[in-house]
Amino acid sequence: MPNLFTLCAIAFWLAMLLDCVRTEPDRTPWLWILILFNILGAILYFCLRTLPRLRLAELPYLKRWTLQRQIWTAEANARNIGKAHQYVILGNLLSEVGQPQHAIAAYHQALQQEPYNAHAHWGLATITLTQKRLAIAQTHLQALLQHDPEYRCGEAALLYGKVLFELGDWNLAQTHLERDVKHWGHPESVLRLAKILLAQGQTETAQAHLERLLINIRSAPPFHYRRHQAIIK
């Protein structure tokens, strides 16, 4: 009669075999490895294929443990040097490990040193947006875009349009989204602009924007087509 260890090993091997069949796009080589090497093949498959998909390193507690030394260094640099750059680095690390309130404090320290620091405004905007504090996110994105309208290749402009749309400030949102669509052509901005135009009864203008969006998506490379198709759905 097989012992408990053997049963667990067989269950683990079967789980990896099933995972390979279900999720692995190029499964044939891995199936051979699992069949020929049995438990060793299952361990290899788990380490090289399953673990990366689990993305355990992105869990806040694990991140905090792996980045603790960097956080200590950043805290020391912020205290000893005290420039905006050091506080932004500290804020980024604290945000990454799931400590938003401490990150907010660090970003505010950066703004005290340098009121128009784009990275500090961006950090505060992204955190407060996650917390559904839309008005505060709007303030920081507006300050950021006034001094760096091209920040992160238009990502800040896209996020600002999203905030205005969710706040229901249709006039300001429409003006910004029209500018964003013309300059950056973000599909998300086109959809939000079309929704505003439809609500205003401007059906033909909204339809024209959506038709141009579909044309752009269909003429884009396959990768972009799949990404934008997901956005539309």
Side-chain angles (χ1 to χ4, degrees), residues 58 60 63-64 67 71 87-104 106-107 122-124 126-128 130:
E58 294 186 10
K63 274 191 173 183
R64 196 175 305 169
L67 296 177
I71 293 173
Y87 281 109
V88 167
I89 291 175
L90 177 59
N92 291 343
L93 287 168
L94 292 170
S95 178
E96 191 174 351
V97 299
Q99 297 186 24
Q101 294 308 122
H102 291 89
I104 287 173
Y107 289 134
W122 175 255
L124 287 166
T126 53
I127 291 176
T128 52
T130 302

XYZ file of all heavy atoms in Angstrom, residues 58 60 63-64 67 71 87-104 106-107 122-124 126-128 130:
261
model
N 4.829 39.582 -6.336
C 4.087 40.835 -6.352
C 3.167 40.991 -5.148
O 2.536 42.026 -4.986
C 3.270 40.927 -7.647
C 4.142 41.022 -8.894
C 3.321 41.248 -10.140
O 2.108 41.510 -10.007
O 3.886 41.168 -11.235
N 2.076 42.019 -1.578
C 2.649 43.095 -0.762
C 3.601 42.626 0.317
O 4.677 43.203 0.502
C 1.401 43.773 -0.168
C 0.317 43.492 -1.145
C 0.623 42.128 -1.696
N 6.809 41.397 -1.216
C 7.539 42.556 -1.745
C 8.214 43.311 -0.615
O 9.350 43.759 -0.738
C 6.576 43.477 -2.499
C 6.354 43.101 -3.950
C 5.623 44.213 -4.655
C 5.536 43.940 -6.146
N 4.904 45.041 -6.877
N 7.482 43.473 0.479
C 8.041 44.203 1.616
C 9.296 43.507 2.135
O 10.267 44.153 2.505
C 6.978 44.293 2.720
C 7.266 45.330 3.787
C 6.106 45.414 4.747
N 4.858 45.667 4.028
C 3.659 45.583 4.571
N 3.541 45.226 5.841
N 2.581 45.822 3.861
N 12.139 43.882 -0.598
C 12.594 45.258 -0.826
C 12.956 45.988 0.464
O 13.223 47.186 0.435
C 11.511 46.057 -1.571
C 11.158 45.586 -2.983
C 10.026 46.434 -3.551
C 12.374 45.658 -3.910
N 14.250 49.852 1.058
C 13.453 50.834 1.795
C 14.290 51.472 2.901
O 14.248 52.696 3.099
C 12.186 50.174 2.374
C 11.254 49.763 1.241
C 11.471 51.111 3.342
C 10.057 48.959 1.699
N 12.935 61.535 -1.613
C 11.596 61.254 -1.100
C 10.722 60.567 -2.148
O 9.863 59.736 -1.805
C 10.940 62.547 -0.620
C 11.421 62.979 0.748
C 12.249 64.086 0.897
C 11.039 62.269 1.889
C 12.697 64.479 2.157
C 11.478 62.659 3.152
C 12.306 63.758 3.279
O 12.751 64.137 4.524
N 10.913 60.899 -3.417
C 10.156 60.228 -4.472
C 10.528 58.749 -4.540
O 9.660 57.871 -4.664
C 10.392 60.908 -5.833
C 9.879 60.030 -6.978
C 9.700 62.267 -5.882
N 11.831 58.456 -4.466
C 12.269 57.053 -4.466
C 11.652 56.304 -3.288
O 11.148 55.181 -3.434
C 13.808 56.973 -4.423
C 14.407 57.478 -5.744
C 14.265 55.535 -4.150
C 15.911 57.544 -5.748
N 11.679 56.935 -2.109
C 11.087 56.308 -0.929
C 9.589 56.091 -1.135
O 9.052 55.017 -0.826
C 11.338 57.177 0.303
C 10.714 56.691 1.613
C 11.210 55.295 1.973
C 11.011 57.681 2.736
N 8.899 57.095 -1.668
C 7.467 56.971 -1.912
C 7.146 55.855 -2.892
O 6.192 55.097 -2.697
N 7.944 55.733 -3.935
C 7.725 54.672 -4.917
C 7.866 53.288 -4.284
O 7.070 52.379 -4.545
C 8.712 54.807 -6.078
C 8.444 56.030 -6.938
O 7.347 56.611 -6.882
N 9.418 56.432 -7.725
N 8.889 53.124 -3.463
C 9.099 51.833 -2.812
C 7.971 51.512 -1.829
O 7.465 50.384 -1.791
C 10.441 51.829 -2.074
C 11.691 51.758 -2.955
C 12.941 52.055 -2.131
C 11.801 50.386 -3.607
N 7.561 52.500 -1.046
C 6.488 52.280 -0.082
C 5.163 51.963 -0.776
O 4.387 51.123 -0.315
C 6.332 53.508 0.815
C 7.506 53.771 1.772
C 7.359 55.135 2.432
C 7.594 52.678 2.838
N 4.937 52.624 -1.887
C 3.724 52.328 -2.666
C 3.772 50.913 -3.221
O 2.760 50.195 -3.228
C 3.580 53.345 -3.799
O 2.456 53.055 -4.595
N 4.941 50.496 -3.664
C 5.095 49.170 -4.260
C 4.845 48.054 -3.254
O 4.338 46.982 -3.620
C 6.495 49.036 -4.866
C 6.677 47.808 -5.735
C 8.020 47.781 -6.438
O 8.757 48.801 -6.384
O 8.337 46.746 -7.042
N 5.188 48.286 -2.003
C 5.009 47.232 -0.988
C 3.680 47.359 -0.251
O 3.453 46.709 0.758
C 6.175 47.238 0.034
C 7.497 46.971 -0.659
C 6.226 48.548 0.821
N 2.777 48.199 -0.753
C 1.447 48.275 -0.172
C 1.336 49.106 1.084
O 0.562 48.756 1.980
N 2.096 50.214 1.175
C 1.982 51.129 2.309
C 1.616 52.518 1.778
O 2.433 53.452 1.789
C 3.297 51.176 3.090
C 3.676 49.848 3.718
C 4.907 49.954 4.600
O 5.249 51.003 5.120
N 5.592 48.830 4.776
N 0.385 52.684 1.284
C 0.020 53.926 0.597
C 0.105 55.169 1.470
O 0.512 56.233 0.995
C -1.425 53.664 0.132
C -1.921 52.570 1.016
C -0.737 51.724 1.325
N -0.278 55.067 2.751
C -0.271 56.260 3.596
C 1.154 56.762 3.825
O 1.405 57.971 3.801
C -0.966 55.970 4.923
C -2.460 55.694 4.782
C -3.167 56.793 3.999
O -3.783 56.528 2.970
N -3.085 58.009 4.484
N 2.088 55.831 4.041
C 3.483 56.240 4.205
C 4.038 56.779 2.890
O 4.843 57.727 2.881
C 4.323 55.052 4.682
C 4.019 54.629 6.074
N 3.044 53.708 6.387
C 4.551 55.007 7.273
C 2.994 53.535 7.694
N 3.889 54.300 8.257
N 3.609 56.199 1.774
C 4.045 56.691 0.466
C 3.537 58.111 0.235
O 4.273 58.972 -0.266
C 3.549 55.758 -0.637
N 2.278 58.366 0.589
C 1.705 59.707 0.443
C 2.512 60.721 1.248
O 2.809 61.828 0.769
C 0.220 59.700 0.883
C -0.628 58.985 -0.178
C -0.287 61.121 1.106
C -2.071 58.776 0.241
N 5.647 60.544 2.036
C 6.940 60.747 1.368
C 6.788 61.662 0.161
O 7.614 62.553 -0.067
C 7.518 59.398 0.956
N 5.728 61.452 -0.611
C 5.513 62.308 -1.793
C 5.249 63.760 -1.386
O 5.709 64.697 -2.056
C 4.341 61.780 -2.616
C 4.622 60.491 -3.356
C 3.709 59.434 -3.325
C 5.790 60.325 -4.101
C 3.958 58.250 -4.007
C 6.044 59.144 -4.782
C 5.125 58.111 -4.728
O 5.374 56.949 -5.405
N 2.595 62.498 -9.710
C 2.116 61.256 -10.318
C 1.873 60.185 -9.246
O 0.851 59.496 -9.272
C 3.124 60.762 -11.343
C 2.795 59.431 -11.940
C 3.383 58.226 -11.675
C 1.774 59.158 -12.911
N 2.806 57.224 -12.421
C 1.815 57.761 -13.178
C 0.840 59.939 -13.563
C 0.952 57.154 -14.083
C -0.025 59.334 -14.478
C 0.034 57.960 -14.723
N 2.799 60.058 -8.324
C 2.625 59.076 -7.258
C 1.386 59.347 -6.430
O 0.602 58.433 -6.132
N 1.174 60.613 -6.079
C -0.005 60.970 -5.296
C -1.291 60.760 -6.094
O -2.306 60.306 -5.553
C 0.099 62.432 -4.842
C 1.118 62.690 -3.731
C 1.406 64.176 -3.591
C 0.611 62.130 -2.406
N -1.851 58.558 -8.572
C -2.167 57.141 -8.756
C -2.673 56.512 -7.462
O -3.595 55.686 -7.489
C -0.939 56.376 -9.267
O 0.189 56.622 -8.411
C -0.586 56.808 -10.683
N -2.099 56.894 -6.329
C -2.551 56.329 -5.055
C -3.957 56.814 -4.715
O -4.845 56.015 -4.365
C -1.580 56.684 -3.921
C -0.255 55.945 -4.097
C -2.192 56.309 -2.557
C 0.791 56.310 -3.072
N -4.195 58.115 -4.824
C -5.516 58.649 -4.464
C -6.594 58.182 -5.436
O -7.752 58.021 -5.046
C -5.482 60.186 -4.418
O -4.925 60.708 -5.645
C -4.642 60.665 -3.247
N -6.603 55.171 -6.789
C -6.883 53.824 -6.301
C -7.804 53.869 -5.087
O -8.657 52.997 -4.903
C -5.578 53.106 -5.931
O -4.725 53.066 -7.083
C -5.840 51.691 -5.461
